[in-house]
Amino acid sequence: MRILKPNLSATPEAINNKNQTVGTVRFSNAYSSGSNAVVLRPHHQPIRLGDLRDIPGRPDSGGSDINEIGTVLLTAVGDGNIGQVALWTAREGLRSIGLPGRPYAINNRNEVVASSGSAAGDIGFFWRDDVGLVRLLDALVSGSPMFDTIAGFDINDSGMISGTATRNAGAIRVAVVLTPVTPAK
């Protein structure tokens, strides 16, 4: 066992094969307070990722996942103090993907699975830069079983999404794997 940062109170969420860990640091002192998404790397200082409001001393964000190329998936507070699903890279910094909600997973192709809450339950979304946000229910092909909601929790490098689907106002809940298909021409 190795302690990452002995003087840092952090909650790790994910680790990649380069031993980069993403998580959340909670801090409070005379100059700042709140929580901040952070990347922890062996033998380096932590990288605090901030939030989307750019308010000095009061960042509010939480790390969720990190892929092999170092893209971080996180929740970052934006306008109206609403948590937004966001991405961070060392080159581009922090940016929202346009979904208030909870981030779950990012693969090495920078494809994201996230959810946004509703009265019916969590509504799952897929996001990729060239496609934008796609509601998982809307991505089902004709002939797929009918569900009220689908929430995705992980995505592999082939684009397969694991999650849960509900029917009958949540009375029926099943595990699902969504497999991408090439559209018919």
Side-chain angles (χ1 to χ4, degrees), residues 10-129:
T11 304
E13 291 292 330
I15 189 169
N16 65 16
N17 288 323
K18 294 180 180 179
N19 296 326
Q20 297 170 320
T21 303
V22 66
T24 304
V25 174
R26 297 192 192 347
F27 55 93
S28 181
N29 59 44
Y31 306 105
S32 61
S33 65
S35 60
N36 202 193
V38 65
V39 176
L40 303 172
R41 302 166 299 156
H43 315 296
H44 291 87
Q45 288 297 315
I47 301 171
R48 288 190 176 181
L49 306 185
D51 67 17
L52 296 163
R53 297 174 302 177
D54 197 26
I55 298 174
R58 181 89 186 166
D60 288 307
S61 59
S64 293
D65 201 4
I66 186 169
N67 63 18
E68 301 306 315
I69 55 179
T71 304
V72 175
L73 179 64
L74 65 145
T75 301
V77 172
D79 293 336
N81 292 332
I82 296 172
Q84 298 281 321
V85 178
L87 297 175
W88 177 90
T89 64
R91 175 185 279 170
E92 297 176 11
L94 187 62
R95 68 180 174 126
S96 172
I97 68 167
L99 178 70
R102 177 165 166 44
Y104 283 104
I106 186 169
N107 65 16
N108 292 320
R109 293 169 29 187
N110 283 339
E111 296 171 328
V112 170
V113 174
S115 70
S116 188
S118 76
D122 278 345
I123 307 296
F125 288 87
F126 166 86
W127 178 90
R128 190 173 69 209
D129 203 24

Side-chain angles (χ1 to χ4, degrees), residues 136 140 150 152 159-163 176-180:
L136 294 178
L140 298 178
I150 298 176
M160 297 173 69
I161 298 170
S162 66
V176 295
V177 173
L178 305 174
T179 303

